[in-house]
Amino acid sequence: MRNKDNFLNELNESLYFFSPEEKSQVIADYEELIIERNNDGEDIQNIIASLDTPDDIAKNYASELGIKYSIAKKYIANTKNKSQSKFNEFKNRDHKKSKVTQISDALVYFLITTGLIIKSIFKFFLTLFLYVTLICLIVSLILFLVLFNFDAYNFMIKSLITIGVGSGISINVIMIYGLNKYLGKIK
Amino acid sequence: MNQQLKKGILEICVLSFIMKEDRYGYEIVKEIGDIFEVKESTIYPILKRLSNDGLLDTYLQESSSGPARKYYKATSSARSYLDEEKTKYFEFVNIVTTFLSEY
């Protein structure tokens, strides 16, 4: 369940195709709307729940203005913003500006950006990859059990392979669970 | 009702509503939203596009009851645009009405 700040933050991220001024105008519109409806006696939580999701709102703006809405572009834009603000945070720590600090600034900026891009690619593809592997493992296990005739020797090999596949699946499940939890935490 | 058709009609109605007098965002969302059963997420983008197209201006005004309100004001070019669109709309309605009563 979103609260007002979450909602406005997410909306800000979803409106990646707008300039900062345009974004803050939309945010101001929604803030005004929420306060006005609240003054009319509606509960803030209910108001937020009755609004469309930030992504849907952004999509409406995009389609009205003839822009193609892309989740990938949203992701890249926000990664860039995040790296910019992390860089600024870093830069403000020391005030002396020599040539050496300028070069190291550039280096740190580069590293932060690359790191964040790798993180976004990693997050998307690794999760996808894990789910695909999981499905493949389950399907191959079923095929294996269905297609072979039963005899004692086979059964031994079968159980060994079954154990192997089973542990593969368990490792997958644990990894998917752990990954989601980890990524949820650092997001 | 067809979304595309509804959006076109909404644009005319929103513009006409603001033409009469300056209106603030929530007022537009409430009035137009109640009558046409559309949410704010449909109306705000229309207001944004009309502003981009130079048909609407905005200004802030303090209100006694709450936060400062963003008012929308029709620009001088909005009048002729609205008249044109209204004419087109009525022609279209006539054609459709005639067609539907015949077939």
Side-chain angles (χ1 to χ4, degrees), chain A residues 122-132 176 179-180 183:
Chain A
F122 176 82
K123 183 182 174 180
F124 182 70
F125 282 103
L126 195 69
T127 325
L128 185 76
F129 172 75
L130 285 175
Y131 281 113
V132 171
I176 290 169
L179 188 76
N180 281 340
L183 288 173

Side-chain angles (χ1 to χ4, degrees), chain A residues 18 22 25-26 29-30 32-33 35-37 39-40 42 50-52 56-57 60-61 63-65, chain B residues 7 11 24-26 29-30 39-42 44-46 48-49 52 60 65-70 72:
Chain A
F18 276 159
E22 286 176 307
Q25 275 173 15
V26 175
D29 282 345
Y30 270 89
E32 190 190 311
L33 181 80
I35 295 172
E36 295 272 11
R37 278 174 66 174
N39 284 348
D40 278 358
E42 236 181 306
S50 77
L51 298 172
D52 282 340
D56 285 342
I57 292 170
N60 278 353
Y61 273 102
S63 83
E64 186 68 35
L65 299 170
Chain B
K7 265 189 187 169
E11 182 193 281
Y24 60 96
Y26 179 53
V29 165
K30 210 160 71 167
K39 288 175 110 174
E40 85 302 325
S41 59
T42 308
Y44 279 138
I46 293 174
K48 165 86 181 151
R49 194 174 47 73
N52 283 4
L60 281 179
S65 61
R69 285 167 172 167
K70 185 157 130 191
Y72 291 85

